Amino acid sequence: MSIAIHYLAPFLALLLGSAFAAYHRLRLAVWAAITATLLVGCWLLGAHQTAVLVATAFMLLVAVPLLIPPLRKNLITAPLLKFYTKLLPPLSDTERTALESGTVGFEGELFSGKPDWSQLLSLPKPMLTAEEQAFLDGPCEDLCRMTNDWDITHVRADLPPHMWDFLKQQKFFGLNIPKEYGGLGFSALMNHKVIQKLAPSSSVVSSTVGVPNSLGPAELLMHYGTDEQKRYYLPRLADGREVPCFALTGPFAGSDATSIPDYGIVCEGEWNGAKVVGIKLTLNKRYITLAPVATLIGVAFRMYDPNGLLGDKRDIGISLALVPRDTAGLEIGRRHFPLNAPFQNGPIRGKDVFVPLSQLIGGEEFAGQGWRMLMECLSIGRSITLPSTASGGAKMGAIVTGAYARIRKQFGLSVGRFEGVEEALARIAGKAYATSALSEATAAAVARGENPAVPSTISKYHCTEMGREVARDVMDIHGGKGIILGPRNYAGRAWQAAPIAITVEGANIMTRSLMIFGQGAILCHPWVMKEMKATQLEDPKQRLTEFDRSLFGHISYAISNAVRAWWFGVTGSRIGTTPGGEYTRRCYRKLNRYSAALAVMADTSMLLLGGKLKFKESLSGRLGDVLSHLYIASAMLKRYEDQGRPIADHPFLAWAFHDSIHKIELALSGALRNFPIRPVGWLLWAVIFPWGRRAEAPSDRLGHRAAALLMTPCEARDRLADGLFLEACDNNPAGRVNSYLAKMILAEPVERKFLKALKNSDIEALEFPAQLDEGVREGWITADERKQLEELREMTLDTIMVDDFEPWELRSAGYVEDKQTVAPRAAA
C-alpha cells in the first residue's frame, strides 16, 4: 500500500491542485505555481522520483505552451480558429439582430457557473413613486370599481362608453409616455402594477390598457420617432384622441414574423393635396388587438424600391409605418372573438394604401430597420403585459380560493381540510408566489433601463404557464361554482382566456423550445458572443488575438464548471460560501450547483452539436427550463430579501423553491438521458449526478403549511395579496368572498357548538331560522351568537351561490330565427 501511495501521490497532488485552481478560477500561472509547489512537496516527502518527474513533465507540457502567448497562438489558437469558424452555425441577419437587440443583466451570472450574488442583492428594491402609488390607489381602483366583467364579456362584448371615456380622461393609454408629451411618465414597474391590479377584475380591461403601453406606436415613437412625429402623435395617444394598434401578424407570418408577405412599394403619390414620395402598401393582417377601434395603425411590412427613388438598394427590408384609419384603401375588418374574452381584436387589410415617407416611424433614416426596432421593443412589451396579467390572476386565484376553501363545507368540514384540495391549494400558493416574484423582477429590470431579451421570454412563458395551471386548480376547487358563468363567477372567464396568453406575443411552445436557451446560450454566456464577434474581425492579427483571449477564457471557464458541478454533486451543495441568512443560505448553494451544471451542459452541447443544436428543440427546451428556474428561484430569493426575510413567508418560498429545484433536476435528467451522443450523456451524468437525482417535489407537510396560510388571515397572505383590488363591492364577487374569511373564522366555534347541540337534540325544526330560534330558547347560543350565525349563513350563501337565467338572456343579440317569440319574453 505504501509503495502505491509513493507512486500515486504526485499524480494526486497534480489532480488536487488542478481541481482547487479550477474550482476557484485561479489564473494559469497560479495553477502552475500551486501544482509545482505540491510536486516539490511530494519529492521532499519521499514520493517516487519517476512519478514526480512524470507528473512534472505533464504539468510543464500544459503550462509552457499556454503561458507563452506567441507559442500558444501559433500552435493552438490558429488551428482552433479555423475549426471554430467552420463549426459556427451561420446566422441570418434576423437572427443576428435578435441576438444583439437585448441587454444582459443578472441572468448572465446564472450562465457563469459561479453567480455573483452580490450583483443581484445590490439591485435596488422595486418601489413606486408617491405619484404612482396615488394613481394606483385612485384612478386605478376607481376603474376596478366600475368594472362589471359579466356586462363586458356577455352583454356588451365591449367596455361600456363611460369606461372608454374614463380610460382616456385619466390617461390610461399614456402610462409610460413622458410628461413633456402629455403622458403620465410612469415607470415600467408602475405599468406592471396597473395591469396586475386590473387583470383579476377583467382581462378585457387589462388588455385594453396593456396593449397601448407595450408594443405599439407609442413605444416605437418614444424610441425611434422623429421630433415632429413625437410632438404630433404622443400627446394625442396619451389623452386618447388617437387609439393605437400594431399590425404585425398575418395568415402566413405568425411566430416567424420575418417572413411577412405584406409589402410596400416606394413610389410617388398624393398626400394632403401634394405630390410626394411615399410607399404604396398591400397588407393582410389578423389577430390585431384594438384594431376595430383603432384610429392609428402601426404596420410592419417589407419595403421595396424597384425604381431606385431612394438609392441603389431595391429590397430595403422590414420597415414600420403609421397609417391613419381613414387612409384610402385601408380596411378595418370585423371583430375576432377570442375565447369569450371580447377585447377589441380583429383583422386589417389594405390594397394600394399610400402614405408618405414621413409616416415611416423614425422617418426615412429608419427604413429597413423595422426588425431591429421590433426586437428592441418586443422584449419590453413581453416583460410587462402578459406576465403582469398572469401574476394578478394567480395572486387573486390564491387569495379567493383560500377563502372559498375555508368557507365551503362538505361532510361537516371545510373543503380545504381535505388533502386532495390541500395539494391543489399548495400548488396555487407556490405558483402565485413564484409568478409574482418573476413578473416583478422582469418589470423592475425594464424600469432600470435594461432591455431584458432573455428574462422577457422566461417571464412570458413561465408566468402564463403557471397562470394557466393556477386557473386549472382554482376551477377544480370551486367545482360547480367555477363552471356556472354569470355575475357571481370570478373564475370561469380566467380559465377560458388562459390559452390566449399562452399563444400571443410568441407561442409558448416556440418560446420554450427555441428562444429561451437559444438566445440565452449566446447572449448570457460569458464567452460565446465574444468568440463569435472575434471571428468577424477583418484584421487577421486582431482576430487571432481576440479569439485567443476568448477561447482560453472559455476553456478555463468550462473546466472550472465541470469541477464545480461534480464537487457540488458529491457534497450535495452543503459546502461553499454564499450570502443569505440561515434559512436561505442552502438555497444559494443549490443554485450555484445547477448554474455550474447548466454551463457544463451548454458548453458540451454547443461544442459537439454545433449548428445542429438549434434543431434539437427538445434538448434546447430542457436546458431552457434549467435557465428559467434558476432565474425564477433567484427572483424569489431577491424579493424575500427585499421584504426583510419574513419568517411567515417560509412555506410559500420553500414550496416554490423546491418545486423549481425539482424541475431543474427533471430537465437536466431528461437532457442527459436523451443526449444525442449517448456516451457523452453517460459521462455528463457522472459529473452532474454522481449520486443520482436527489431533488424531490415539495412534501405533503410543506404543502399543508402553504395551504393553511391561504385559508387563514395572516401577514404572509396579506403580502401575497399586495397590489390586488379586494374591495367588497357589488362588481367584485372575489373581494366579497375574501372579506368573509375573518368573520367566518370567528363564527366557527359558535357554529360547531350549535351544530353539536342540534345533532344531540330531538328538535324537529328543518328550517334554519326555526333551528336558531330553538337554539336560543334551549340556551345553546345567545341572541348575539344567533345574529353571528345568521350573518355566517348569508356570507356562505353569497360565497357558494351561482347564477341562472331566462333562456332569452343567453341568446345572442344577432339571433333572429325566433325573433317574434324572443321579443315578448325580453319585454316581460
Side-chain angles (χ1 to χ4, degrees):
M1 180 66 71
S2 60
I3 295 175
I5 293 175
H6 280 296
Y7 275 102
L8 293 177
F11 300 104
L12 290 175
L14 179 63
L15 181 63
L16 289 174
S18 300
F20 178 83
Y23 180 90
H24 292 285
R25 299 191 173 174
L26 304 178
R27 296 176 60 187
L28 183 64
V30 177
W31 164 77
I34 291 173
T35 52
T37 301
L38 290 174
L39 290 173
V40 169
C42 289
W43 180 71
L44 292 175
L45 293 173
H48 196 280
Q49 290 188 1
T50 302
V52 173
L53 289 174
V54 171
T56 302
F58 181 80
M59 185 269 290
L60 292 174
L61 187 65
V62 173
V64 172
L66 296 183
L67 287 172
I68 302 174
L71 188 63
R72 181 182 70 232
K73 290 179 183 179
N74 291 323
L75 291 179
I76 302 173
T77 306
L80 286 177
L81 175 58
K82 293 180 181 179
F83 173 74
Y84 184 88
T85 304
K86 294 179 181 179
L87 180 71
L88 191 66
L91 289 179
S92 66
D93 290 339
T94 54
E95 288 176 316
R96 183 174 290 103
T97 299
L99 289 172
E100 295 176 350
S101 62
T103 60
V104 179
F106 180 74
E107 66 276 10
E109 291 294 316
L110 299 175
F111 246 100
S112 71
K114 188 181 180 183
D116 180 3
W117 295 108
S118 65
Q119 181 178 326
L120 173 70
L121 299 178
S122 64
L123 294 173
K125 177 182 178 180
M127 294 183 67
L128 301 178
T129 65
E131 183 182 7
E132 290 173 333
Q133 189 64 52
F135 185 89
L136 199 64
D137 296 337
C140 198
E141 296 221 343
D142 290 340
L143 182 60
C144 291
R145 288 187 192 94
M146 66 176 70
T147 297
N148 182 333
D149 193 50
W150 179 250
D151 178 66
I152 291 170
T153 58
H154 180 75
V155 179
R156 299 176 183 273
D158 191 11
L159 306 185
H162 71 276
M163 288 189 69
W164 280 107
D165 292 340
F166 186 82
L167 291 174
K168 295 174 181 179
Q169 291 164 4
Q170 298 297 326
K171 298 186 178 181
F172 274 89
F173 297 156
L175 295 177
N176 55 356
I177 293 176
K179 291 182 179 181
E180 63 185 288
Y181 296 109
L184 296 174
F186 290 157
S187 65
L189 179 65
M190 175 59 172
N191 193 351
H192 155 72
K193 296 287 188 181
V194 169
I195 301 303
Q196 181 178 257
K197 176 160 285 195
L198 295 178
S201 296
S202 173
S203 62
V204 177
V205 175
S206 65
S207 61
T208 301
V209 172
V211 168
N213 290 288
S214 57
L215 175 65
E219 186 73 31
L220 291 163
L221 284 169
M222 285 188 290
H223 283 81
Y224 313 106
T226 64
D227 290 340
E228 183 180 358
Q229 289 172 341
K230 291 177 182 179
R231 285 194 300 268
Y232 179 77
Y233 282 116
L234 289 180
R236 299 172 67 84
L237 290 166
D239 62 21
R241 282 176 287 168
E242 300 279 10
V243 176
C245 73
F246 190 81
L248 175 62
T249 302
F252 298 101
S255 299
D256 182 15
T258 58
S259 65
I260 53 176
D262 313 282
Y263 61 89
I265 304 297
V266 178
C267 61
E268 291 185 341
E270 189 172 303
W271 182 262
N272 292 334
K275 191 174 184 180
V276 296
V277 176
I279 313 115
K280 189 174 288 186
L281 298 167
T282 296
L283 58 128
N284 183 13
K285 306 288 190 178
R286 64 179 182 178
Y287 309 150
I288 310 305
T289 299
L290 293 184
V293 296
T295 62
L296 184 65
I297 295 92
V299 176
F301 62 97
R302 182 166 287 278
M303 186 172 169
Y304 297 96
D305 183 15
N307 298 318
L309 298 179
L310 303 182
D312 296 331
K313 194 172 184 180
R314 297 298 183 259
D315 182 356
I316 295 176
I318 294 176
S319 303
L320 311 179
L322 297 174
V323 183
R325 184 188 183 96
D326 59 2
T327 304
L330 187 68
E331 176 193 347
I332 305 294
R334 302 191 302 171
R335 289 180 62 180
H336 296 314
F337 190 35
L339 289 176
N340 275 338
F343 54 91
Q344 293 287 339
N345 186 280
I348 297 176
R349 305 177 185 90
K351 178 69 173 176
D352 295 336
V353 181
F354 182 81
V355 293
L357 292 177
S358 60
Q359 291 300 113
L360 286 172
I361 297 178
E364 188 178 339
E365 176 186 350
F366 281 87
Q369 300 297 313
W371 182 240
R372 177 177 65 83
M373 297 158 71
L374 289 173
M375 285 297 96
E376 291 175 352
C377 289
L378 266 173
S379 61
I380 296 173
R382 196 183 285 128
S383 299
I384 307 293
T385 305
L386 293 174
S388 304
T389 299
S391 172
K395 282 156 65 83
M396 182 64 86
I399 297 305
V400 70
T401 306
Y404 179 87
R406 185 71 179 263
I407 296 170
R408 176 64 164 154
K409 291 184 171 61
Q410 294 283 280
F411 308 104
L413 287 174
S414 296
V415 297
R417 301 299 186 193
F418 294 94
E419 288 191 353
V421 176
E422 260 191 359
E423 287 181 9
L425 280 173
R427 289 194 297 267
I428 292 171
K431 289 172 184 175
Y433 187 87
T435 304
S436 178
L438 174 58
S439 61
E440 183 170 282
T442 314
V446 178
R448 291 193 298 269
E450 297 178 25
N451 187 2
V454 176
S456 71
T457 58
I458 292 173
S459 189
K460 189 274 174 181
Y461 174 80
H462 286 279
C463 283
T464 56
E465 288 290 341
M466 288 191 285
R468 175 163 63 175
E469 292 161 5
V470 167
R472 180 199 62 200
D473 283 330
V474 168
M475 289 292 290
D476 285 353
I477 292 174
H478 280 78
K481 170 74 175 179
I483 291 171
I484 304 302
L485 292 175
R488 295 176 180 272
N489 189 314
Y490 44 77
R493 292 301 193 202
W495 173 240
Q496 284 183 311
I500 299 173
I502 299 294
T503 302
V504 301
E505 292 195 24
N508 274 12
I509 289 178
M510 305 291 283
T511 299
R512 174 181 177 268
S513 62
L514 293 177
M515 294 179 64
I516 295 176
F517 181 75
Q519 283 187 306
I522 297 176
L523 270 178
C524 299
H525 196 289
W527 297 107
V528 169
M529 182 64 85
K530 294 176 183 177
E531 289 169 337
M532 292 173 66
K533 289 183 176 180
T535 63
Q536 304 299 316
L537 294 173
E538 295 183 2
D539 181 19
K541 185 176 180 181
Q542 185 184 9
R543 181 166 63 245
L544 183 63
T545 299
E546 292 299 321
F547 184 76
D548 177 77
R549 182 182 296 112
S550 300
L551 173 66
F552 284 96
H554 192 163
I555 291 172
S556 63
Y557 156 90
I559 294 171
S560 172
N561 285 326
V563 171
R564 292 175 65 84
W566 180 82
W567 175 251
F568 285 134
V570 168
T571 62
S573 307
R574 291 182 175 87
I575 300 174
T577 302
T578 57
E582 183 178 354
Y583 187 77
T584 56
R585 199 170 290 124
R586 55 185 175 174
C587 298
Y588 289 102
R589 289 197 192 104
K590 286 181 181 294
L591 296 185
N592 281 342
R593 174 188 178 182
Y594 297 116
S595 171
L598 172 63
V600 171
M601 285 294 297
D603 276 332
T604 305
S605 299
M606 287 188 285
L607 175 64
L608 298 181
L609 300 178
K612 295 180 182 179
L613 178 58
K614 65 180 180 180
F615 300 107
K616 300 294 183 181
E617 296 173 23
S618 295
L619 175 61
S620 178
R622 290 181 175 117
L623 295 181
D625 290 341
V626 178
L627 174 60
S628 296
H629 282 286
L630 285 170
Y631 187 79
I632 293 168
S634 302
M636 293 189 294
L637 291 172
K638 174 65 168 70
R639 189 175 67 170
Y640 175 76
E641 295 288 342
D642 285 343
Q643 292 179 338
R645 301 179 180 177
I647 295 175
D649 286 9
H650 283 180
F652 290 159
L653 173 62
W655 195 100
F657 187 84
H658 281 296
D659 183 58
S660 278
I661 294 303
H662 181 237
K663 288 175 179 174
I664 285 174
E665 286 212 355
L666 286 177
L668 285 170
S669 171
L672 291 168
R673 292 181 187 277
N674 293 279
F675 198 79
I677 305 173
R678 299 302 302 127
V680 175
W682 302 332
L683 178 61
L684 288 174
W685 184 279
V687 171
I688 294 172
F689 295 124
W691 308 120
R693 286 201 301 109
R694 297 294 182 181
E696 297 180 351
S699 67
D700 292 346
R701 173 185 284 185
L702 183 55
H704 169 77
R705 292 170 59 201
L709 289 180
L710 290 187
M711 295 189 291
T712 308
C714 59
E715 60 173 297
R717 189 176 187 275
D718 290 343
R719 261 189 298 273
L720 187 61
D722 182 55
L724 299 177
F725 178 70
L726 290 170
E727 184 178 306
C729 59
D730 290 342
N731 287 345
N732 192 17
R736 294 201 306 273
V737 172
N738 179 67
S739 71
Y740 299 151
L741 180 60
K743 294 178 182 179
M744 193 281 302
I745 291 174
L746 289 175
E748 278 183 340
V750 179
E751 183 186 34
R752 284 195 297 268
K753 178 178 66 173
F754 172 73
L755 292 177
K756 182 178 180 180
L758 181 65
K759 182 179 180 180
N760 294 328
S761 72
D762 56 1
I763 292 174
E764 298 180 356
L766 298 178
E767 298 294 330
F768 187 65
Q771 292 173 346
L772 291 178
D773 290 340
E774 291 293 337
V776 174
R777 276 196 295 271
E778 294 292 331
W780 306 337
I781 55 174
T782 66
D784 287 340
E785 289 175 331
R786 176 203 169 103
K787 292 180 180 178
Q788 194 175 13
L789 291 178
E790 287 176 332
E791 185 181 14
L792 175 61
R793 176 57 64 96
E794 291 175 1
M795 292 187 296
T796 302
L797 285 173
D798 189 34
T799 298
I800 67 176
M801 290 298 289
V802 298
D803 299 284
D804 51 70
F805 306 90
E806 292 289 344
W808 62 263
E809 293 180 277
L810 299 179
R811 290 194 177 104
S812 166
Y815 182 74
V816 296
E817 184 179 346
D818 293 332
K819 193 171 184 180
Q820 291 182 344
T821 57
V822 171
R825 292 181 185 175

